[in-house]
Amino acid sequence: MSLMHYTRDNMAGLLRGHDINPTHQRIEIAHALFSRQEHLSADQVMAIVNTRHSETSKATVYNTLKLFLEKGLVREVIVDPSKVFFDPNTTPHHHIYEVDSGKLSDIDAEHVHISGLPPLPDNMVTEGIDLIVRVRRKA
Amino acid sequence: MSLMHYTRDNMAGLLRGHDINPTHQRIEIAHALFSRQEHLSADQVMAIVNTRHSETSKATVYNTLKLFLEKGLVREVIVDPSKVFFDPNTTPHHHIYEVDSGKLSDIDAEHVHISGLPPLPDNMVTEGIDLIVRVRRKA
DNA sequence: TCAGCAATCTGGACTTTGTCTAATTTCCGG
DNA sequence: CCGGAAATTAGACAAAGTCCAGATTGCTGA
Ligand SMILES: [Mn+2]
Ligand SMILES: [Mn+2]
Ligand SMILES: [Zn+2]
Ligand SMILES: [Zn+2]
């Protein structure tokens, strides 16, 4: 699993497994995210997918990323006020954000413990807990 | 301190204490935030400040909020992909974000403990730790 | 085979949030 | 008062994201 090598061929199966009809564009977009295992913005996905020659429209990139999100194939990371990052890692984990460079990296949730959170009102459920460590280069 | 009542008159002193020249517009913007003690977006500040008659330009609202941020008078909360919230509460605390309604509320950091975070590289310093509990109305 | 149909994709107009700039206004200190 | 620095302003601009109506694609059933 952790040694999985994400080829374009794998992508169709991955998409089907999440109830997503594997079209050419969707395969390319999934491949961009999963072969790199990096946090990418819509713009970056757009650029990657259209490197050779223009293949996929902006509308499709945005629609597809939203679809992936709904189907639980990717996760959204909100750390930069100017753009959303899409994260192919959907296992519970946290993030380190380097504010100067915009570099975003993962912290495994395994050893992190958060205690003392107040109880939620009865009619509420937790959808997720986002922990972001904002760091900066030392002066 | 916790019972502080923020009048417009107080605002001038508060601003001076943070090395901010208290102008009419700055006082109005500070008053919008501190009298409510709520998380406000730039748009909301703009609307509040210009309720009676138009007094403060968009440029000034954005410039002033950025100035307040730099001077440590307010804090930025990045939780919604479409807008930034400004927080008059600068004491260490965390947030609950209700995804449906967009309602944002505070969690006192006092009793929350976060352990097991990996050590940072030597050349990095933590600027802040943001913990956001994303909640949703039960189905 | 192929007409019909639903799903998908597309260019481009549009909206929203935020930034920038050059011109004006406000606020002093001398 | 006068001159200059600080602050404010309108409005042009930019970037991220949404929306729509028309074109394409890929089935499916006669
Ligand atoms: Mn983006
Ligand atoms: Mn705003
Ligand atoms: Zn991640
Ligand atoms: Zn807060």
Side-chain angles (χ1 to χ4, degrees):
Chain A
M1 177 57 165
S2 52
L3 299 176
M4 181 66 162
H5 186 204
Y6 293 100
T7 65
R8 274 182 186 74
D9 286 348
N10 293 332
M11 290 300 106
L14 180 66
L15 294 178
R16 276 192 215 95
H18 285 261
D19 259 322
I20 298 167
N21 194 5
T23 66
H24 176 61
Q25 287 87 343
R26 288 170 181 174
I27 288 172
E28 286 302 314
I29 292 171
H31 186 252
L33 283 159
F34 285 89
S35 69
R36 282 174 186 72
Q37 289 285 73
E38 270 173 22
H39 308 88
L40 299 179
S41 66
D43 257 28
Q44 291 176 301
V45 169
M46 180 82 175
I48 290 168
V49 152
N50 290 323
T51 29
R52 297 187 165 283
H53 43 69
S54 191
E55 286 189 330
T56 305
S57 71
K58 184 171 65 150
T60 297
V61 169
Y62 277 98
N63 288 342
T64 300
L65 289 171
K66 190 184 283 182
L67 178 70
F68 285 4
L69 196 60
E70 283 162 11
K71 298 295 189 176
L73 186 62
V74 302
R75 166 178 169 178
E76 217 177 14
V77 184
I78 299 166
V79 280
D80 182 308
S82 74
K83 67 183 89 169
V84 169
F85 287 101
F86 293 88
D87 191 342
N89 180 356
T90 54
T91 66
H93 69 280
H94 305 298
H95 291 101
I96 294 189
Y97 186 59
E98 215 207 291
V99 290
D100 309 307
S101 67
K103 194 164 153 278
L104 185 59
S105 36
D106 285 347
I107 301 175
D108 199 311
E110 180 108 29
H111 300 100
V112 177
H113 286 279
I114 300 168
S115 64
L117 286 176
L120 288 185
D122 275 358
N123 58 332
M124 297 284 165
V125 241
T126 299
E127 190 164 272
I129 295 184
D130 293 0
L131 177 63
I132 295 143
V133 182
R134 266 166 224 281
V135 302
R136 188 170 35 80
R137 278 225 139 60
K138 228 177 240 170
Chain B
M1 175 55 167
S2 50
L3 297 178
M4 181 64 163
H5 186 203
Y6 293 101
T7 65
R8 273 183 188 72
D9 285 349
N10 292 332
M11 289 302 104
L14 180 66
L15 294 179
R16 277 193 214 93
H18 285 260
D19 260 323
I20 299 167
N21 195 4
T23 66
H24 176 61
Q25 287 87 341
R26 289 169 180 176
I27 288 171
E28 285 302 314
I29 292 171
H31 185 253
L33 283 159
F34 286 89
S35 70
R36 281 173 188 73
Q37 288 284 76
E38 269 173 23
H39 308 87
L40 299 178
S41 66
D43 257 29
Q44 290 175 301
V45 169
M46 180 82 176
I48 291 167
V49 152
N50 290 324
T51 30
R52 296 185 166 284
H53 43 69
S54 191
E55 285 189 331
T56 306
S57 72
K58 184 171 66 150
T60 297
V61 168
Y62 277 98
N63 288 343
T64 300
L65 289 171
K66 190 184 282 181
L67 177 70
F68 286 4
L69 196 61
E70 283 162 12
K71 298 294 190 176
L73 186 62
V74 301
R75 164 178 171 180
E76 216 177 15
V77 183
I78 298 164
V79 89
D80 182 308
S82 74
K83 66 183 87 168
V84 169
F85 287 101
F86 294 88
D87 191 341
N89 180 355
T90 54
T91 66
H93 69 279
H94 305 298
H95 291 100
I96 294 189
Y97 186 61
E98 214 206 292
V99 289
D100 310 307
S101 68
K103 194 164 152 279
L104 185 59
S105 36
D106 285 349
I107 300 175
D108 200 310
E110 179 109 27
H111 301 100
V112 177
H113 288 280
I114 300 168
S115 63
L117 286 176
L120 289 184
D122 276 359
N123 57 333
M124 296 285 164
V125 244
T126 298
E127 188 165 274
I129 295 184
D130 293 359
L131 178 63
I132 295 144
V133 182
R134 264 166 226 282
V135 303
R136 186 169 37 80
R137 277 226 141 62
K138 227 177 240 174

